[in-house]
């Protein structure tokens, strides 16, 4: 399986920097600052080595992701996060069904428009660029789970599940599969940016629900798995 151009570019850049560093490791003009006292001048070399290491590391992470590519030839990444809320499971679930309120706690989401019971249109900033896509709810069971998949635009799918821990205690678990597209998205994915964003979104959802103590609405319909 061939590596992507960004992967090759990162690996090549790191290799060239390391190769150049090794060729000049004995060159006194590169090691000394030219003064009579012969002080070592190593900041340039430290910076070069760090840049080389970063490039090689990035290339390695991108290559690792590439090797996880699915049958369609592109890489899928997965993020899993969970959080415990001090509210009943019904409250947590009902609030999550209010899709158009997602921008209130999802940092990068600008708008979610609900077309009907099972179809949504999303608008969000992804790696600094505004993107839009359509999604459908593929399964929905009150107080248990909501699953979705995109039908246009950036590929993503996942499920959010709700677990009763007590009368006023609920665990919300989210799993999402997605396909980074641009180099910026692949870099963000490689360094765990999506995981950090997901964790922050769940934390803000917790704060939103717990501060109110009740949901702002709720849809109790069921969608069969498809």
């Amino acid at each position: 399986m061939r590596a992507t151009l960004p992967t090759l570019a990162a690996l090549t850049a790191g290799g060239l920097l390391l190769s150049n560093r090794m060729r000049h490791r004995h060159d006194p003009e590169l090691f000394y600052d030219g003064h009579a006292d012969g002080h070592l001048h190593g900041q340039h070399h430290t910076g070069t080595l760090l840049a080389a290491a970063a490039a090689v590391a990035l290339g390695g992470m991108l290559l690792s992701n590439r090797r996880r590519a699915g049958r369609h030839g592109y890489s899928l990444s997965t993020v899993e996060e969970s959080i415990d809320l001090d509210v009943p499971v019904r409250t947590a679930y009902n609030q999550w069904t209010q899709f158009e309120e997602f921008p209130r706690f999802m940092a990068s989401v600008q708008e979610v428009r609900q077309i009907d019971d099972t179809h949504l249109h999303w608008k969000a900033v992804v790696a600094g660029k505004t993107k839009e896509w359509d999604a459908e709810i593929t399964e929905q069971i009150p107080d248990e789970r909501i699953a979705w998949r995109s039908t246009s635009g950036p590929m993503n799918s996942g499920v959010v599940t709700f677990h009763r821990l007590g009368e006023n205690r609920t665990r919300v678990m989210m799993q999402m599969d997605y396909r980074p597209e641009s180099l910026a998205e692949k870099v963000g994915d490689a360094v765990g940016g999506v995981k950090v964003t997901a964790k922050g979104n769940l934390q803000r959802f917790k704060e939103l629900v717990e501060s109110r103590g009740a949901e702002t609405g709720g849809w109790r319909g069921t969608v069969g798995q498809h």
Side-chain angles (χ1 to χ4, degrees):
M1 183 178 296
R2 292 176 296 177
T4 62
L5 288 177
T7 303
L8 291 173
L11 288 170
T12 301
L16 288 173
L17 286 169
L18 285 173
S19 177
N20 182 67
R21 174 66 180 88
M22 293 301 293
R23 286 199 309 270
H24 295 291
R25 67 185 185 277
H26 299 303
D27 188 341
E29 291 185 359
L30 294 176
F31 275 82
Y32 293 92
D33 60 9
H35 294 290
D37 56 6
H39 288 161
L40 286 174
H41 185 62
Q43 291 183 346
H44 169 73
H45 305 286
T46 299
T48 301
L49 285 173
L50 289 175
V56 171
L58 175 59
M61 287 186 289
L62 291 174
L63 183 58
S64 176
N65 285 342
R66 180 63 180 173
R67 287 173 175 171
R68 298 202 305 269
R71 62 186 179 87
H72 295 294
Y74 52 71
S75 175
L76 290 178
S77 295
T78 299
V79 62
E80 296 179 348
E81 281 295 331
S82 66
I83 197 167
D84 293 348
L85 282 61
D86 293 325
V87 296
V89 66
R90 183 185 180 96
T91 299
Y93 172 85
N94 283 350
Q95 186 61 56
W96 198 277
T97 66
Q98 303 306 287
F99 304 119
E100 293 189 347
E101 294 192 28
F102 278 7
R104 299 184 62 183
F105 64 89
M106 291 189 174
S108 62
V109 176
Q110 296 179 327
E111 179 187 15
V112 177
R113 187 170 71 254
Q114 184 154 8
I115 312 267
D116 56 37
D117 288 343
T118 59
H119 294 89
L120 310 168
H121 182 77
W122 290 70
K123 182 179 180 181
V125 176
V126 181
K129 294 185 177 181
T130 300
K131 294 192 174 186
E132 298 189 38
W133 67 92
D134 295 310
E136 67 172 339
I137 304 300
T138 58
E139 184 182 19
Q140 188 162 345
I141 303 174
D143 301 338
E144 292 186 18
R145 63 194 290 117
I146 300 174
W148 80 92
R149 66 169 171 246
S150 61
T151 58
S152 70
M155 184 276 167
N156 66 90
S157 62
V159 60
V160 177
T161 57
F162 304 83
H163 308 267
R164 185 182 185 275
L165 302 180
E167 184 176 351
N168 292 295
R169 186 79 168 168
T170 302
R171 177 165 296 159
V172 177
M173 303 182 69
M174 181 183 69
Q175 176 183 315
M176 182 176 71
D177 298 322
Y178 58 96
R179 175 166 61 103
E181 296 180 323
S182 68
L183 176 59
E185 291 175 35
K186 292 173 182 176
V187 171
D189 176 52
V191 300
V194 178
K195 184 177 180 66
V196 171
T197 298
K199 187 179 185 68
N201 289 343
L202 287 180
Q203 179 60 41
R204 285 184 290 274
F205 178 71
K206 171 184 173 71
E207 294 168 358
L208 173 67
V209 178
E210 291 182 353
S211 65
R212 287 178 170 273
E215 60 270 44
T216 59
W219 189 70
R220 306 291 298 176
T222 298
V223 177
Q225 185 176 21
H226 65 279

